[in-house]
Amino acid sequence: MVQKRGPVAKTVSQGRAEEMVMAGSAPSASYAGDPIAHVHRGTGFVVLVDAGIVVYLTYTTLGALGFFPSSAAANGFLVVALVLAYSVYAGYRSRRSWAYWPAVGVLFAASIMFAFLAFLNLLQSLMSGEFILLVFTFLMGWAALGSGRRAVFHWHPVYRSGYHNTNPLTTFDLQDGEMLAACPSCLAVLAIRPAMLGQADKCPHCGNGLVSKELLARHGGEEE
């Protein structure tokens, strides 16, 4: 959680508060000046892994259904699919405009596949009574949720603009007295103004409180 000395910050109007940068993971020193770069780097790795999984599952499924007339056709499909998957990853990593939505498609495809595998494992576990399948159900469900969430925040306008910008924080037109601070729950970067925050103030993205009860109590004690 980002803690500041002195008065707790107060969010500005709803329109200003919605000027935020999607994060989703703790910032590191090397990306302190560009939180989008940190999120993009982590998402790029997920795109690479998910692309490989999508290719593998598609290849094995089509093979099981007898889609390939020969081993040469199967190998040719695998090579082409791997090249396309890596091209999407490489383009997304380099922030190419054309790779943005294909990467989202990869994330959504992986999420759907993970969810389907979770359902199959759950169904088999209920039928066979094998506990280990519930573990795989949880893992596949968690992977489906993770890939789905990574895909969804690509619709956020600030992340989208930051993807095409070397330093997205320069897109924030801060007014006099404003500063940037991170939401303690989702790490979205918000435009704030020094003042008092109330317990009812919520992050416009995740809906969680911007200040914890402990911080409010400590700040109240300091003021006394």
Side-chain angles (χ1 to χ4, degrees):
M1 178 176 181
V2 177
Q3 298 185 8
K4 300 174 286 298
R5 297 175 183 267
V8 185
K10 179 173 181 170
T11 53
V12 295
S13 65
Q14 182 71 8
R16 298 287 298 156
E18 287 178 349
E19 286 189 81
M20 60 188 173
V21 178
M22 288 293 298
S25 55
S28 62
S30 57
Y31 293 96
D34 187 358
I36 284 290
H38 181 70
V39 183
H40 173 262
R41 181 173 179 268
T43 304
F45 178 74
V46 176
V47 169
L48 176 63
V49 174
D50 281 0
I53 293 174
V54 168
V55 169
Y56 172 75
L57 292 178
T58 302
Y59 172 77
T60 54
T61 300
L62 293 179
L65 295 175
F67 181 82
F68 304 118
S70 64
S71 59
N75 292 335
F77 172 86
L78 182 60
V79 170
V80 172
L82 287 174
V83 170
L84 289 176
Y86 185 80
S87 298
V88 170
Y89 159 71
Y92 185 83
R93 183 187 60 183
S94 302
R95 299 191 184 189
R96 304 295 184 187
S97 298
W98 65 265
Y100 190 83
W101 293 114
V104 175
V106 168
L107 293 171
F108 266 126
S111 180
I112 294 172
M113 290 181 175
F114 286 139
F116 183 68
L117 290 176
F119 173 75
L120 291 181
N121 278 280
L122 177 61
L123 188 63
Q124 188 173 356
S125 175
L126 295 176
M127 295 176 61
S128 64
E130 296 184 23
F131 175 78
I132 188 64
L133 294 176
L134 291 178
V135 177
F136 286 108
T137 299
F138 173 78
L139 293 176
M140 292 297 101
W142 185 264
L145 179 62
S147 294
R149 290 180 63 184
R150 291 274 183 175
V152 166
F153 70 61
H154 283 76
W155 270 268
H156 195 284
V158 177
Y159 181 83
R160 213 166 6 181
S161 63
Y163 177 87
H164 303 286
N165 197 319
T166 303
N167 185 6
L169 291 184
T170 60
T171 62
F172 283 91
D173 184 18
L174 293 178
Q175 299 174 2
D176 290 341
E178 288 184 357
M179 61 180 293
L180 298 178
C183 168
S185 299
C186 67
L187 299 182
V189 177
L190 307 175
I192 62 172
R193 183 169 293 157
M196 290 297 297
L197 256 185
Q199 187 174 345
D201 291 301
K202 307 293 183 181
C203 172
H205 172 61
C206 67
N208 292 322
L210 290 175
V211 180
S212 66
K213 294 180 180 179
E214 293 78 10
L215 183 57
L216 285 173
R218 183 163 62 249
H219 175 67
E222 290 175 356
E223 293 235 330
E224 294 175 1

PDB file of all heavy atoms in Angstrom, residues 38 50 79 95 149 158-159 174:
ATOM      1  N   HIS A  38       5.433  -2.009 -16.864  1.00  0.00           N
ATOM      2  CA  HIS A  38       5.500  -3.149 -15.956  1.00  0.00           C
ATOM      3  C   HIS A  38       4.353  -4.121 -16.230  1.00  0.00           C
ATOM      4  O   HIS A  38       4.549  -5.334 -16.308  1.00  0.00           O
ATOM      5  CB  HIS A  38       5.447  -2.657 -14.513  1.00  0.00           C
ATOM      6  CG  HIS A  38       5.540  -3.756 -13.498  1.00  0.00           C
ATOM      7  ND1 HIS A  38       6.701  -4.467 -13.288  1.00  0.00           N
ATOM      8  CD2 HIS A  38       4.626  -4.274 -12.637  1.00  0.00           C
ATOM      9  CE1 HIS A  38       6.496  -5.366 -12.346  1.00  0.00           C
ATOM     10  NE2 HIS A  38       5.241  -5.271 -11.941  1.00  0.00           N
ATOM     11  N   ASP A  50       0.260 -18.482 -23.037  1.00  0.00           N
ATOM     12  CA  ASP A  50      -1.086 -18.832 -23.498  1.00  0.00           C
ATOM     13  C   ASP A  50      -1.094 -19.187 -24.980  1.00  0.00           C
ATOM     14  O   ASP A  50      -1.831 -20.091 -25.403  1.00  0.00           O
ATOM     15  CB  ASP A  50      -2.044 -17.671 -23.242  1.00  0.00           C
ATOM     16  CG  ASP A  50      -2.499 -17.597 -21.793  1.00  0.00           C
ATOM     17  OD1 ASP A  50      -2.068 -18.452 -20.995  1.00  0.00           O
ATOM     18  OD2 ASP A  50      -3.271 -16.678 -21.455  1.00  0.00           O
ATOM     19  N   VAL A  79       3.776 -26.097 -37.401  1.00  0.00           N
ATOM     20  CA  VAL A  79       4.813 -25.101 -37.665  1.00  0.00           C
ATOM     21  C   VAL A  79       4.192 -23.736 -37.952  1.00  0.00           C
ATOM     22  O   VAL A  79       4.623 -22.710 -37.400  1.00  0.00           O
ATOM     23  CB  VAL A  79       5.699 -25.550 -38.850  1.00  0.00           C
ATOM     24  CG1 VAL A  79       6.616 -24.410 -39.286  1.00  0.00           C
ATOM     25  CG2 VAL A  79       6.522 -26.773 -38.465  1.00  0.00           C
ATOM     26  N   ARG A  95       5.007  -3.704 -28.801  1.00  0.00           N
ATOM     27  CA  ARG A  95       3.917  -2.732 -28.836  1.00  0.00           C
ATOM     28  C   ARG A  95       3.538  -2.338 -30.257  1.00  0.00           C
ATOM     29  O   ARG A  95       3.298  -1.168 -30.562  1.00  0.00           O
ATOM     30  CB  ARG A  95       4.259  -1.478 -28.027  1.00  0.00           C
ATOM     31  CG  ARG A  95       4.502  -1.739 -26.551  1.00  0.00           C
ATOM     32  CD  ARG A  95       4.555  -0.436 -25.778  1.00  0.00           C
ATOM     33  NE  ARG A  95       4.882  -0.673 -24.370  1.00  0.00           N
ATOM     34  CZ  ARG A  95       4.831   0.267 -23.421  1.00  0.00           C
ATOM     35  NH1 ARG A  95       4.469   1.496 -23.735  1.00  0.00           N
ATOM     36  NH2 ARG A  95       5.152  -0.020 -22.177  1.00  0.00           N
ATOM     37  N   ARG A 149      -8.925 -11.966 -17.052  1.00  0.00           N
ATOM     38  CA  ARG A 149      -8.728 -10.627 -16.496  1.00  0.00           C
ATOM     39  C   ARG A 149      -7.675  -9.853 -17.283  1.00  0.00           C
ATOM     40  O   ARG A 149      -7.805  -8.651 -17.513  1.00  0.00           O
ATOM     41  CB  ARG A 149      -8.324 -10.726 -15.029  1.00  0.00           C
ATOM     42  CG  ARG A 149      -9.429 -11.187 -14.110  1.00  0.00           C
ATOM     43  CD  ARG A 149      -8.979 -11.259 -12.680  1.00  0.00           C
ATOM     44  NE  ARG A 149      -8.608  -9.951 -12.168  1.00  0.00           N
ATOM     45  CZ  ARG A 149      -8.098  -9.739 -10.958  1.00  0.00           C
ATOM     46  NH1 ARG A 149      -7.895 -10.765 -10.143  1.00  0.00           N
ATOM     47  NH2 ARG A 149      -7.797  -8.518 -10.559  1.00  0.00           N
ATOM     48  N   VAL A 158      -6.940   3.998 -20.931  1.00  0.00           N
ATOM     49  CA  VAL A 158      -5.607   4.453 -20.541  1.00  0.00           C
ATOM     50  C   VAL A 158      -4.552   3.393 -20.864  1.00  0.00           C
ATOM     51  O   VAL A 158      -3.462   3.716 -21.331  1.00  0.00           O
ATOM     52  CB  VAL A 158      -5.572   4.835 -19.047  1.00  0.00           C
ATOM     53  CG1 VAL A 158      -4.164   5.231 -18.625  1.00  0.00           C
ATOM     54  CG2 VAL A 158      -6.547   5.963 -18.772  1.00  0.00           C
ATOM     55  N   TYR A 159      -4.890   2.125 -20.622  1.00  0.00           N
ATOM     56  CA  TYR A 159      -3.923   1.077 -20.983  1.00  0.00           C
ATOM     57  C   TYR A 159      -3.727   1.045 -22.495  1.00  0.00           C
ATOM     58  O   TYR A 159      -2.619   0.877 -22.995  1.00  0.00           O
ATOM     59  CB  TYR A 159      -4.387  -0.288 -20.492  1.00  0.00           C
ATOM     60  CG  TYR A 159      -3.390  -1.377 -20.830  1.00  0.00           C
ATOM     61  CD1 TYR A 159      -2.286  -1.603 -20.016  1.00  0.00           C
ATOM     62  CD2 TYR A 159      -3.523  -2.137 -21.990  1.00  0.00           C
ATOM     63  CE1 TYR A 159      -1.350  -2.572 -20.346  1.00  0.00           C
ATOM     64  CE2 TYR A 159      -2.595  -3.105 -22.319  1.00  0.00           C
ATOM     65  CZ  TYR A 159      -1.514  -3.322 -21.493  1.00  0.00           C
ATOM     66  OH  TYR A 159      -0.588  -4.277 -21.826  1.00  0.00           O
ATOM     67  N   LEU A 174      -2.183  16.828 -15.207  1.00  0.00           N
ATOM     68  CA  LEU A 174      -2.427  17.137 -13.809  1.00  0.00           C
ATOM     69  C   LEU A 174      -2.717  18.619 -13.630  1.00  0.00           C
ATOM     70  O   LEU A 174      -2.058  19.467 -14.211  1.00  0.00           O
ATOM     71  CB  LEU A 174      -1.215  16.731 -12.962  1.00  0.00           C
ATOM     72  CG  LEU A 174      -0.926  15.234 -12.867  1.00  0.00           C
ATOM     73  CD1 LEU A 174       0.324  14.994 -12.033  1.00  0.00           C
ATOM     74  CD2 LEU A 174      -2.106  14.488 -12.271  1.00  0.00           C
TER      75      LEU A 174
END
